[in-house]
């Protein structure tokens, strides 16, 4: 499951009518200590009035003449990054949430960034898996190819046990820096779990295999700050886009692809081969 | 000893009556971006006070938000031409906070030569 806007939105909203005065809107906002009010007209959302609108308008004005319109909104099923993209695009601090034409919530920038921070790994400075799901969904929506390289570091537990977690973390940081430098700009890298990384690519299978080999090489050939030999196993899925393979629920499809690649990497490790390409496609959960 | 000073309070009320102009604007209104009323309020006002007689037009101008203009004038001169003229002249005196009432007269001069 990917975190969506619906899980972080404020639901108890105070609204104002478009024919109310700016001064009245100011009073409501001051009284309730809120920074904006969604503007309604005959039960329909028509705009949003913010503190900025209030201070730059005459208090006698109608809210309709001071509000920011049309309102910028997202669906409750939108991911956190989709909401962030919209906020950044329109330079706004608050985003409305609308479902079937009805206003159902509001997300503030502070709340959104707080939530996004949970999906960012401080040690490696990499995003976690939700981010590549979001980017993967965008690729699928645009009819692009998607493939996943799932990289699992071999015997990492032994490093932690022999050298301690501080050095284990140091190695993970070095590996993530290597991967960051090697992963092309049109691909997306994330730290999936403890010693696991995933790369989303817009490539077909063959190119994805080439990239996976390059990444495994860069990991195994690097001279680490503690003298250890490190290798990794990788699993690949996707890269053979066929419409029938996808369920239409792109989040579900992305999760399936990641799962396939993860199982393939386990298989590679078990069979002591560097790379396994997943053949099947796990049917949708639903 | 009794207080010799005497005080009194009086109030004078003056009434000045004049006819309320209908409609209260004349040929056009220039509405500033930070004026006490904006496009929506002006639109609703003219729709209620003088239905079908005025058009409220939003304009792209640094200080002027909208122009209210009598429809009859637009039958004589093209709307774009009138608006650009009002913005050109009004823009010199109007500021963001003001609402200007504009009186506009159009005189059509026709001169024809006919053969006798």
């Amino acid at each position: 499951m990917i975190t969506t806007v619906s899980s972080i939105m404020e639901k108890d909203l105070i609204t104002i009518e478009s024919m109310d005065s700016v001064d009245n809107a100011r009073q409501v906002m001051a009284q309730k200590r809120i920074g904006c009010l969604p503007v309604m007209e005959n039960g329909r959302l028509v705009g949003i009035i913010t503190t900025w609108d209030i201070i730059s308008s005459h208090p006698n004005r109608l809210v309709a003449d001071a509000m920011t319109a049309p309102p910028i909104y997202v669906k409750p099923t939108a991911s956190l990054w989709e909401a962030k993209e919209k906020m950044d695009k329109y330079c706004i601090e608050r985003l409305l949430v609308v479902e079937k034409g009805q206003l159902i919530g509001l997300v503030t920038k502070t709340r959104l960034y707080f939530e996004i921070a949970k999906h960012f790994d401080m040690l490696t400075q990499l995003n976690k898996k939700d981010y590549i799901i979001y980017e993967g969904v965008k690729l699928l929506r645009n009819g692009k190819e998607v493939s996943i390289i799932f990289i699992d570091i071999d015997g990492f537990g032994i490093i932690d046990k022999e050298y301690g977690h501080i050095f284990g973390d140091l190695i993970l940081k070095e590996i993530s820096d290597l991967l960051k430098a090697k992963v092309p700009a049109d691909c997306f890298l994330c730290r999936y779990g403890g010693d696991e990384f995933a790369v989303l690519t817009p490539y077909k299978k063959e190119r994805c295999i080439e990239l996976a080999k390059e990444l495994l090489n860069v990991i195994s050939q690097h001279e680490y700050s503690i003298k250890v030999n490190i290798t990794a196993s990788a699993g690949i899925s996707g890269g053979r886009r066929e419409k029938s393979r996808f369920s239409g629920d792109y989040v579900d499809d992305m999760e399936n692809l990641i799962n396939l690649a993860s199982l393939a990497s386990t298989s590679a490790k078990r069979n002591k081969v560097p790379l396994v390409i997943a053949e099947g496609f796990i049917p949708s959960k639903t | 000893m009794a207080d010799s000073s005497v005080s009194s309070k009086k109030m004078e009320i003056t009434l000045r009556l004049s006819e309320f102009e209908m409609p209260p604007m004349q040929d056009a209104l220039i509405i500033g971006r930070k004026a006490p009323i904006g496009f929506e309020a002006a639109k609703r006002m003219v729709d209620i006070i003088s239905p079908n007689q005025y058009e409220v037009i939003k304009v792209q101008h640094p200080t002027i938000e909208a122009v209210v203009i009598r429809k009859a004038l637009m039958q004589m001169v093209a709307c774009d031409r009138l608006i650009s003229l009002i913005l050109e002249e009004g823009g010199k005196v109007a500021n963001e906070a003001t609402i200007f009432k504009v009186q506009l007269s159009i005189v059509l001069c026709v001169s024809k030569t006919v053969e006798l």
Side-chain angles (χ1 to χ4, degrees):
Chain A
M1 274 296 286
I2 189 168
T3 313
T4 59
V5 160
S6 64
S7 64
I8 62 160
M9 68 186 184
E10 289 169 27
K11 289 175 189 156
D12 296 324
L13 299 183
I14 298 163
T15 61
I16 195 153
E17 285 298 311
S18 62
M19 288 300 107
D20 249 311
S21 72
V22 167
D23 192 46
N24 195 25
R26 182 191 60 76
Q27 281 180 40
V28 173
M29 283 159 77
Q31 213 171 42
K32 305 286 180 187
R33 293 184 169 275
I34 47 177
C36 75
L37 294 168
V39 182
M40 311 299 285
E41 196 171 308
N42 302 323
R44 199 170 51 88
L45 176 72
V46 291
I48 185 166
I49 188 159
T50 64
T51 39
W52 176 250
D53 295 323
I54 301 262
I55 57 172
S56 53
S57 302
H58 193 286
N60 184 70
R61 278 198 166 214
L62 293 178
V63 166
D65 280 327
M67 68 184 182
T68 302
I72 310 297
Y73 62 86
V74 286
K75 288 182 184 172
T77 51
S79 72
L80 303 180
W81 289 275
E82 199 177 332
K84 180 182 179 294
E85 214 169 74
K86 221 157 211 182
M87 277 188 174
D88 291 345
K89 184 179 173 189
Y90 293 99
C91 295
I92 51 176
E93 304 279 320
R94 295 162 188 90
L95 190 59
L96 299 167
V97 185
V98 173
E99 187 174 38
K100 292 174 188 159
Q102 292 295 308
L103 173 70
I104 60 162
L106 181 143
V107 179
T108 62
K109 199 171 188 174
T110 317
R111 180 76 180 92
L112 182 69
Y113 275 49
F114 177 77
E115 200 59 36
I116 282 178
K118 292 182 190 169
H119 298 271
F120 189 76
D121 179 50
M122 293 306 284
L123 172 70
T124 58
Q125 298 286 302
L126 287 174
N127 287 298
K128 296 184 189 171
K129 69 148 185 169
D130 271 19
Y131 182 68
I132 65 163
I133 292 179
Y134 161 65
E135 290 292 349
V137 167
K138 273 210 297 189
L139 289 173
L140 288 173
R141 266 193 204 138
N142 295 325
K144 301 272 172 60
E145 187 59 84
V146 282
S147 51
I148 298 285
I149 304 169
F150 197 94
I151 299 168
D152 194 346
I153 309 300
D154 297 331
F156 195 77
I158 296 166
I159 296 171
D160 272 345
K161 275 174 196 153
E162 278 189 18
Y163 299 90
H165 281 79
I166 296 292
F167 285 102
D169 284 352
L170 194 70
I171 296 290
L172 278 177
K173 179 85 178 68
E174 280 181 57
I175 293 171
S176 66
D177 289 344
L178 291 172
L179 294 175
K180 271 186 231 172
K182 197 73 187 170
V183 168
D186 56 352
C187 298
F188 303 91
L189 170 67
C190 81
R191 183 182 179 192
Y192 197 86
D195 58 350
E196 297 152 346
F197 297 87
V199 183
L200 165 72
T201 91
Y203 306 149
K204 286 195 178 299
K205 190 175 80 175
E206 294 70 27
R207 198 166 164 205
C208 187
I209 293 170
E210 271 175 41
L211 176 62
K213 284 178 180 168
E214 283 174 30
L215 297 177
L216 292 180
N217 276 342
V218 89
I219 292 172
S220 63
Q221 285 168 8
H222 182 70
E223 235 175 69
Y224 292 91
S225 50
I226 52 168
K227 302 288 172 221
V228 282
N229 290 325
I230 291 177
T231 57
S233 307
I236 286 179
S237 65
R240 289 155 296 174
R241 184 160 182 155
E242 291 168 30
K243 249 188 172 172
S244 58
R245 283 173 175 264
F246 296 104
S247 67
D249 178 347
Y250 292 140
V251 171
D252 204 21
D253 290 335
M254 279 308 302
E255 285 176 341
N256 281 333
L257 275 180
I258 293 170
N259 210 29
L260 268 178
S262 132
L263 290 172
S265 81
T266 310
S267 166
K269 195 174 270 194
R270 195 184 303 127
N271 295 306
K272 299 194 184 327
V273 291
L275 192 65
V276 165
I277 295 126
E279 287 302 327
F281 192 83
I282 296 172
S284 170
K285 283 181 299 217
T286 49
Chain B
M1 211 172 118
D3 187 359
S4 60
S5 67
V6 178
S7 76
S8 74
K9 271 187 184 171
K10 281 183 182 174
M11 192 183 277
E12 197 176 292
I13 299 173
T14 308
L15 295 180
R16 188 174 294 173
L17 288 91
S18 66
E19 196 185 358
F20 182 69
E21 269 183 78
M22 254 333 271
M25 55 273 187
Q26 289 164 343
D27 299 312
L29 278 186
I30 299 173
I31 299 167
R33 291 205 168 273
K34 288 186 180 173
I37 65 162
F39 169 84
E40 271 303 324
K43 193 170 177 313
R44 285 167 203 250
M45 176 184 77
V46 296
D47 284 351
I48 291 166
I49 296 178
S50 313
N52 302 318
Q53 287 187 49
Y54 288 87
E55 183 100 38
V56 188
I57 298 159
K58 254 191 180 170
V59 294
Q60 294 297 321
H61 190 275
T63 51
I64 298 167
E65 177 176 322
V67 172
V68 182
I69 191 153
R70 197 146 61 87
K71 281 183 179 173
L73 294 170
M74 292 192 288
Q75 286 166 356
M76 291 185 264
V77 182
C79 174
D80 290 351
R81 187 75 199 91
L82 268 179
I83 295 292
S84 70
L85 180 75
I86 291 170
L87 290 183
E88 190 187 329
E89 295 307 319
K92 292 174 189 168
V93 286
N95 66 49
E96 279 189 325
T98 55
I99 301 175
F100 265 93
K101 203 150 78 162
V102 181
Q103 209 169 345
L104 210 149
S105 67
I106 298 171
V107 179
L108 181 64
C109 303
V110 180
S111 164
K112 278 189 181 179
T113 307
V114 291
E115 276 191 36
L116 295 173

